[in-house]
């Protein structure tokens, strides 16, 4: 494959990808990515210990971050040329980006049928929920790890618990439901909150999903022994609720869903999801492709390779050239992340340099 003249220097090893010509975002193991996670910013107003260091990280310079126009162009290439069917906007904290509502409105105008979701910590959402809905946002996932303000402050290192609750209520009132709540459990800090969080979500008709803590914290403090596993989460929930497999097909979704009952002979109260990325990985069914805030393609959260689309866009490349580089990056998607015990490289697992906030979770 040739690099067009006038293009910036691309990662040579990746640019020279020897791959067949095909449609869509395929990889060497037969997977096709149709679900795009795009980060709007690396900045955040919380400092969750499983993600960011207490002092934050050096933020990207303003002109390093994709502009609204560049985001709309990349998503358009994804949808029109590469078969992207779903978009999730994330970060960092996407709501700290001043033009978040305008970006969603522009994406909606350009892609009337595209499901557009947002993952947020909900700080400031109370003021933006109505505008986000009006701009065309389809649905929202909100992170909430505890129902105790002191525990929230300990985990997120900011006293914003009430603001998060206000954000959740506003999103619900604005019609951004069904609201999904994401929780990461940390041993000895908020793991005992798991059943209360589930009860709280069931009462409000929110769908709770527990995410196993992954080694994507900037402090590199994750340990396999320290993380709370999906098995432990099922056990803790089982002390108060009856969980049974949700009959709906999983269809590549990261969360394994369970129906929840108070007792075996009682009606279903709702569902709960468990995203067991570490101990029960779902890499073989992964449909995701990621773009960081500065326009790098990451084929996997744990990828050590990144491919720069921003440089190509700014050098005046055509849509087909951008699409082709994106396909190159995805072709090299690793088979598995290697943290599990499936024999896909457990011994070789090396935590990536980027934290979750700098990738876009
Ligand atoms: N700031 C927004 C938020 O917190 O929802 C969006 C970005 S955040 C990186 C996206 C999701 O990643 C959140 O639900 C968060 O709980 C999760 N997350 C962050 N670090 C994680 C880690 N080390 N392991 C598992 N999930 C993590
Ligand atoms: Fe910020 Fe989200 Fe990371 Fe927490 S998980 S520090 S809210 S990016």
């Amino acid at each position: 494959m040739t690099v067009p003249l006038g293009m910036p220097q691309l990662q040579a090893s990746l640019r020279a990808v020897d791959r067949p010509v095909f449609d869509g975002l395929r990889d060497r193991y037969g997977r096709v990515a149709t679900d795009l996670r795009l980060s709007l910013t690396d900045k955040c107003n919380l400092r969750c210990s499983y993600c960011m260091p207490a002092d934050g990280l050096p933020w990207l310079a303003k002109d390093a971050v994709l502009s609204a126009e560049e985001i709309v162009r990349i998503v358009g290439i994804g949808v029109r040329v590469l078969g992207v069917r779903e978009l999730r906007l994330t970060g960092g904290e996407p709501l700290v980006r001043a033009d978040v509502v305008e970006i969603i409105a522009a994406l909606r105008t350009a892609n009337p049928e595209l499901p557009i979701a947002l993952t947020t910590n909900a700080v400031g959402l109370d003021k933006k929920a109505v505008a986000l809905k009006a701009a065309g946002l389809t649905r929202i996932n909100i992170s909430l790890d505890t129902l105790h303000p002191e525990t929230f402050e300990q985990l997120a290192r900011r006293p914003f618990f009430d603001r998060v609750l206000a954000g959740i209520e506003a999103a619900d009132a604005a019609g951004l439901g069904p609201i999904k709540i994401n929780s990461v459990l940390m041993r000895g800090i908020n793991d005992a909150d798991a059943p209360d969080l589930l009860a709280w979500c069931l009462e409000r008709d929110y769908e709770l999903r527990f995410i196993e803590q992954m080694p994507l914290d900037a402090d590199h403090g994750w340990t396999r022994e320290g993380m709370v596993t999906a098995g432990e989460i099922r056990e803790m929930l089982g002390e108060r609720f009856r969980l049974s497999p949700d009959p709906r097909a999983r269809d590549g979704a990261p969360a394994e869903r369970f129906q929840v009952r108070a007792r075996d002979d009682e009606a279903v109260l709702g569902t709960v999801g468990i995203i067991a990325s570490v101990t029960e990985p779902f890499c073989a069914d992964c449909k995701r492709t990621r773009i960081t805030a500065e326009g790098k393609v990451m084929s996997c959260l744990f990828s050590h390779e990144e491919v720069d689309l921003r440089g190509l866009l700014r050098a005046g490349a055509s849509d087909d050239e951008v699409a082709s580089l994106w396909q190159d990056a995805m072709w090299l998607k690793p088979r598995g992340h290697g943290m599990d015990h499936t024999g896909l490289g457990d011994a070789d697992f090396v935590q990536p340099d980027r934290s979750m906030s700098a990738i876009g979770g």
Side-chain angles (χ1 to χ4, degrees):
M1 184 171 296
T2 54
V3 180
L5 287 176
M7 292 299 148
Q9 188 66 42
L10 303 170
Q11 293 95 323
S13 61
L14 287 174
R15 194 67 187 98
V17 172
D18 183 17
R19 61 165 173 85
V21 174
F22 46 70
D23 293 337
L25 293 168
R26 293 173 189 276
D27 68 39
R28 294 164 294 166
Y29 304 102
R31 295 167 297 190
V32 183
T34 53
D35 174 358
L36 170 57
R37 309 266 161 129
L38 187 139
S39 172
L40 294 185
T41 177
D42 58 322
K43 289 187 186 155
C44 189
N45 41 15
L46 300 185
R47 296 286 181 274
C48 307
S49 58
Y50 48 74
C51 180
M52 286 245 190
D55 295 335
L57 291 164
W59 307 133
L60 291 167
K62 193 159 184 255
D63 67 350
V65 174
L66 293 176
S67 67
E69 293 71 27
E70 287 167 340
I71 289 169
V72 173
R73 179 148 178 236
I74 287 181
V75 172
I77 293 170
V79 171
R80 281 193 322 277
V81 186
L82 294 172
V84 165
R85 296 282 163 264
E86 277 179 66
L87 172 65
R88 173 170 302 281
L89 301 172
T90 179
E93 174 44 49
L95 297 185
V96 304
R97 190 159 165 158
D99 55 357
V100 60
V101 173
E102 289 75 21
I103 291 173
I104 291 170
L107 288 168
R108 174 54 67 223
T109 303
N111 308 278
E113 305 300 329
L114 182 69
I116 304 176
L118 181 87
T119 302
T120 172
N121 63 29
V123 175
L125 182 57
D126 54 337
K127 306 217 171 42
K128 294 197 171 121
V130 169
L132 290 167
K133 174 74 181 172
L137 185 64
T138 315
R139 59 177 169 267
I140 203 154
N141 284 23
I142 298 174
S143 300
L144 179 70
D145 302 324
T146 176
L147 296 171
H148 300 287
E150 328 73 65
T151 313
F152 181 95
E153 189 166 346
Q154 186 186 358
L155 265 176
R157 300 174 176 128
R158 294 289 184 275
F160 295 162
F161 179 73
D162 291 344
R163 296 177 67 184
V164 171
L165 285 200
I168 297 174
E169 280 166 21
D172 201 9
L176 285 167
I179 307 275
K180 288 190 178 167
I181 302 286
N182 291 346
S183 290
V184 176
L185 297 178
M186 301 286 280
R187 197 179 297 287
I189 301 177
N190 66 332
D191 50 346
D193 293 1
D196 287 345
L197 272 167
L198 179 53
W200 187 85
C201 287
L202 290 170
E203 273 165 31
R204 290 161 180 77
D205 240 351
Y206 303 157
E207 185 174 325
L208 176 63
R209 296 125 45 91
F210 290 102
I211 310 175
E212 276 185 345
Q213 187 202 359
M214 292 179 270
L216 289 170
D217 57 315
D219 285 334
H220 289 233
W222 178 94
T223 61
R224 190 181 297 282
E225 303 69 40
M227 64 163 288
V228 180
T229 66
E232 290 174 296
I233 296 170
R234 288 190 291 262
E235 213 171 288
M236 281 189 282
L237 298 179
E239 285 168 18
R240 183 150 3 141
F241 300 99
R242 295 287 157 264
L243 304 189
S244 55
D246 188 327
R248 285 176 293 175
R250 186 160 170 182
D251 192 26
E256 183 178 11
R257 277 191 308 242
F258 297 89
Q259 291 186 327
V260 185
R261 294 176 168 82
R263 290 184 1 190
D264 284 334
D265 54 352
E266 289 189 3
V268 174
L269 300 170
T271 59
V272 64
I274 301 183
I275 303 181
S277 321
V278 178
T279 61
E280 298 160 18
F282 35 84
C283 303
D285 295 321
C286 182
K287 293 181 182 171
R288 278 162 288 286
T289 180
R290 294 172 193 275
I291 307 278
T292 67
E294 75 270 50
K296 302 251 169 85
V297 181
M298 288 189 70
S299 61
C300 168
L301 270 177
F302 295 94
S303 186
H304 291 273
E305 313 288 353
E306 302 175 359
V307 174
D308 179 31
L309 295 189
R310 187 196 64 198
L312 210 51
L313 289 181
R314 293 186 184 176
S318 69
D319 285 3
D320 284 346
E321 285 164 333
V322 175
S324 177
L325 186 62
W326 194 342
Q327 287 181 306
D328 287 353
M330 292 306 294
W331 181 245
L332 297 181
K333 182 176 171 107
R335 184 152 62 124
H337 52 50
M339 285 180 289
D340 49 309
H341 298 280
T342 56
L344 299 181
D346 186 41
D348 300 333
F349 177 74
V350 179
Q351 177 166 346
D353 293 334
R354 282 179 184 266
S355 67
M356 188 68 129
S357 62
I359 302 170

